[in-house]
């Protein structure tokens, strides 16, 4: 093997648990990425994982210890699975099979991985991978919901072709996506809950009440949060369309913040210039009408609907079948697009929470309050999009949050991911105060 180049010294020990799935081969790449980034990596293989990838492979890629047998104690001065848990800065189980999720949800401990996870006092990230029907099974979904309530972070599997021959949701997120998420956590850019922290789980169906201020509370834990993100595109001909400058950064930041709080998050995304955060289920819908249909399908089951997409207000009345050739003059006849947020405001249940966004350039407060009332919303986030340093395409934003109970909250300019956390904190606190 060739000489290894210098690694950045960033600190932190990542313990990677690998379970018996064909996706175990992806864990090799994840371990390699973590090692190359400068993290100390230790690997735990279940008996099933050993049938797919050998311990030696991980030992070579991690340049660290690999554990397989809970009864094998190489150092008499320590108990191995407890020592691993104590050294860990973060646990990642990738792939996580249905069997391992069930064991962890029930507190079962019969091998090295399960005993180490129960002893862990650090964030734990679980990346499920399995057949689409297995993943959709009610028992598996109940186990995932319970794990989220207990403080485990679940990365939603991706959709696509599966090794079993089926196609659907069940693919483990790509190693690069998991690595980026882990790196954000260990570098302090993302804060995750710590399971096994001594806080009892919320009972089934309980009103979770007022959350701790630091994390926007547990209001979102176990909730289904539906978001629209990005810009819609209304075609003029096969190559041209009407759209806007929305990047999706603010919407994806809100999706990530809700996911960290234990919510199931589904995003209906138009055109975006940034990738979605790991663990978020994304459905693409470029036209406003397509976005409406996707939202209509998902909205009845949603607990919270956040309409962060910049939806086109108008579309060409007719779409040319061939590219329109350049001429002296082109006159377009436009018609209004469906108003997604207005429609959901009419259909909402009293227990649903609706959050809208207003991108304004003049009469800011008057327009925002009018939209809040007219569209039957609980909260309205006002953006001043006349400024070039915040809002569309920028990494930072400065907003005002209005609510239906007369509240007005100003958020100064800051990174959109930080702002997303503060918005959800405020929304959760307001709901706890008025309900």
């Amino acid at each position: 093997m060739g000489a290894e180049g210098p690694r950045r010294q960033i600190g932190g020990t990542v313990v990677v648990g690998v379970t018996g799935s064909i996706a175990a081969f992806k864990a090799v790449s994840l371990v390699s990425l973590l090692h190359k980034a400068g993290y100390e990596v230790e690997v735990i293989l279940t008996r099933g994982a050993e049938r797919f990838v050998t311990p030696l492979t991980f030992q070579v890629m991690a340049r660290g210890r690999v554990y397989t047998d809970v009864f094998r104690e190489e150092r008499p001065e320590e108990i191995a699975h407890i020592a691993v848990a104590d050294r860990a800065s973060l646990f990642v189980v990738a792939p996580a099979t249905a069997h391992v999720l069930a064991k962890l949800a029930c507190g079962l401990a019969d091998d090295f991985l399960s005993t180490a996870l129960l002893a862990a006092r650090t964030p734990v990230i679980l990346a499920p991978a399995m057949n689409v029907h297995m993943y959709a099974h009610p028992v598996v979904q109940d186990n995932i919901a319970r794990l989220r309530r207990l403080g485990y972070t679940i990365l939603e599997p991706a959709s696509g072709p599966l090794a079993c021959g089926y196609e659907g949701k069940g693919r483990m997120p790509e190693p690069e996506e998991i690595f980026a998420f882990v790196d954000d956590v260990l570098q302090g850019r993302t804060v995750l809950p710590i399971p096994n922290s001594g806080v009892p789980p919320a009972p089934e169906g309980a009103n979770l009440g007022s959350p701790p201020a630091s994390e926007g509370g547990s209001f979102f834990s176990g909730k289904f949060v539906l978001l629209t993100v990005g810009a819609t595109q209304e075609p003029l001909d096969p190559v041209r369309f009407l759209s806007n400058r929305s990047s999706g950064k603010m919407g994806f930041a809100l999706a990530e913040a809700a996911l960290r709080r234990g919510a199931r998050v589904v995003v209906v995304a138009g055109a975006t210039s940034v990738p979605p955060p790991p663990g978020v289920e994304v459905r693409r819908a470029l036209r406003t009408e397509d976005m409406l249909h996707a939202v209509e399908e998902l909205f009845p089951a949603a607990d919270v609907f956040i309409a962060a997409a910049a939806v086109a207000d108008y579309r060409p009345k007719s779409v040319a079948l061939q590219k329109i050739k350049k001429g002296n003059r082109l006159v377009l006849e436009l018609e209004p697009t469906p108003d997604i947020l207005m429609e959901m405001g009419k259909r909402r249940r009293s227990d649903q929470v609706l959050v809208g966004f207003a991108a304004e350039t003049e009469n800011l407060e008057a327009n925002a309050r009018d939209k809040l009332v007219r569209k039957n919303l609980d909260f309205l986030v006002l953006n001043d999009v006349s400024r070039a340093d915040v809002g569309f395409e920028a990494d930072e934003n400065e907003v005002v949050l209005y609510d239906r109970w007369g509240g007005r909250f100003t958020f100064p300019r800051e990174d959109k991911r930080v702002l997303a956390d503060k918005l959800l904190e405020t929304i959760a606190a307001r709901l706890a105060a008025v309900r």
Side-chain angles (χ1 to χ4, degrees), residues 379-382 399-403 407-409 411 423 426-427:
F379 299 91
L380 192 284
V381 182
L382 171 64
V399 303
V400 180
L401 177 69
Y402 300 88
D403 67 40
R408 182 183 186 278
F409 306 89
F411 296 85
L423 284 170
T426 304
I427 288 170

Side-chain angles (χ1 to χ4, degrees), residues 292-293 295-296 299 305 338-349 352 354 374-377:
L292 172 63
H293 293 330
V295 170
E296 285 177 326
F299 182 75
F305 176 49
D339 192 323
I340 298 173
L341 190 53
M342 176 79 81
E343 189 61 35
M344 296 310 109
K346 294 175 182 176
R347 302 184 189 188
R348 64 173 297 176
R349 302 187 311 270
Q352 289 178 303
L354 267 63
R374 184 165 43 86
K375 299 197 176 185
N376 194 23
L377 309 179

Side-chain angles (χ1 to χ4, degrees), residues 26-108:
K26 289 185 177 182
V28 178
S29 296
L30 174 61
V31 166
S32 177
L33 289 168
L34 291 166
H35 171 70
K36 289 177 180 177
Y39 294 109
E40 298 298 324
V41 184
E42 300 187 19
V43 181
I44 304 173
L45 299 181
T46 65
R47 185 174 301 175
E50 289 186 77
R51 303 293 293 268
F52 290 97
V53 188
T54 67
L56 181 59
T57 301
F58 285 102
Q59 185 174 319
V60 171
M61 301 308 294
R63 305 291 201 275
R65 305 176 189 177
V66 178
Y67 304 91
T68 59
D69 186 354
V70 71
F71 297 109
R72 183 177 179 180
E73 299 287 356
E74 297 183 350
R75 303 181 63 182
E77 69 274 16
E78 66 178 24
I79 299 174
H81 66 276
I82 302 299
V84 169
D86 289 344
R87 284 194 297 270
S89 305
L90 181 75
F91 269 81
V92 184
V93 183
T97 60
H99 178 69
V100 168
L101 295 176
K103 285 170 57 176
L104 193 54
C106 295
L108 299 178

